[in-house]
Amino acid sequence: MARYLCMAIFFLLLAPGRSMAFTAHQVTTEARIAFEQILDLWRAEDLERLYERLDHPAAWGWDYFAERMVYASRVPACCWEKLQDVSVAARDADYVVINAKVGFEVEGVGTRFVTRDFHLRRIDGIWKLPMNDVLTLSKYNFQRIPRKIYQRTP
């Protein structure tokens, strides 16, 4: 009898671990896909949709973001150069850290790679990257000719 009781307790303790592992796997997969989508929006210069996928302070509104992005000197690379050596760690159901090597196309230079941690949060069901990460990695420079003048559609 004691033997069956021990086995029952063992399986009860094991079951939540399995469901938590599945949830962590699901969270990391969703976050990685969302991160790739963010890079694709950025590369396509779809600033409207990219802005919706960024976590930004209230003081940094659309105008602040768009003004800097038109002066960006680099965008994410395409295809296999876009994302390499990816590892995703789920901190909880709505927060992950992605360590990745991201390729950026630099005008007149070619592709340059940056390896770093990216902290994504799920806010209202949408995985978001901090706006500061995009602005910093875009290497905006007000002395260069803008990529294009971008007017927000109403």
Side-chain angles (χ1 to χ4, degrees):
M1 183 71 176
R3 184 174 174 173
Y4 293 115
L5 183 60
C6 287
M7 287 176 53
I9 291 172
F10 175 75
F11 285 115
L12 285 174
L13 292 174
L14 185 63
R18 284 186 179 170
S19 64
M20 285 173 33
F22 174 75
T23 302
H25 176 70
Q26 184 178 5
V27 166
T28 57
T29 302
E30 289 173 4
R32 181 185 171 138
I33 291 169
F35 184 59
E36 289 186 39
Q37 291 171 346
I38 290 168
L39 293 175
D40 290 339
L41 290 171
W42 182 1
R43 177 174 174 71
E45 295 184 20
D46 188 347
L47 298 184
E48 292 272 348
R49 291 178 51 206
L50 176 60
Y51 182 76
E52 294 170 4
R53 301 293 299 270
L54 301 178
D55 184 18
H56 46 84
W60 291 6
W62 165 256
D63 294 331
Y64 180 87
F65 172 70
E67 180 180 327
R68 279 152 181 77
M69 290 304 290
V70 297
Y71 288 97
S73 63
R74 58 188 192 177
V75 296
C78 179
C79 311
W80 68 272
E81 292 180 324
K82 174 176 65 174
L83 197 58
Q84 300 175 7
D85 304 331
V86 181
S87 67
V88 184
R91 300 294 187 232
D92 62 38
D94 295 322
Y95 176 62
V96 298
V97 177
I98 297 177
N99 182 277
K101 181 176 171 182
V102 181
F104 290 96
E105 291 179 359
V106 181
E107 290 179 351
V109 179
T111 303
R112 295 293 179 252
F113 293 92
V114 174
T115 303
R116 60 174 285 188
D117 288 339
F118 297 91
H119 300 263
L120 274 73
R121 292 193 183 279
R122 185 175 8 214
I123 301 170
D124 297 328
I126 299 171
W127 286 102
K128 296 188 176 191
L129 182 67
M131 181 192 293
N132 195 44
D133 287 358
V134 172
L135 294 177
T136 301
L137 291 170
S138 71
K139 296 277 188 190
Y140 62 90
N141 179 355
F142 290 122
Q143 295 178 350
R144 69 181 301 281
I145 297 171
R147 298 178 83 75
K148 63 180 179 180
I149 303 301
Y150 191 82
Q151 297 293 326
R152 190 169 195 187
T153 54

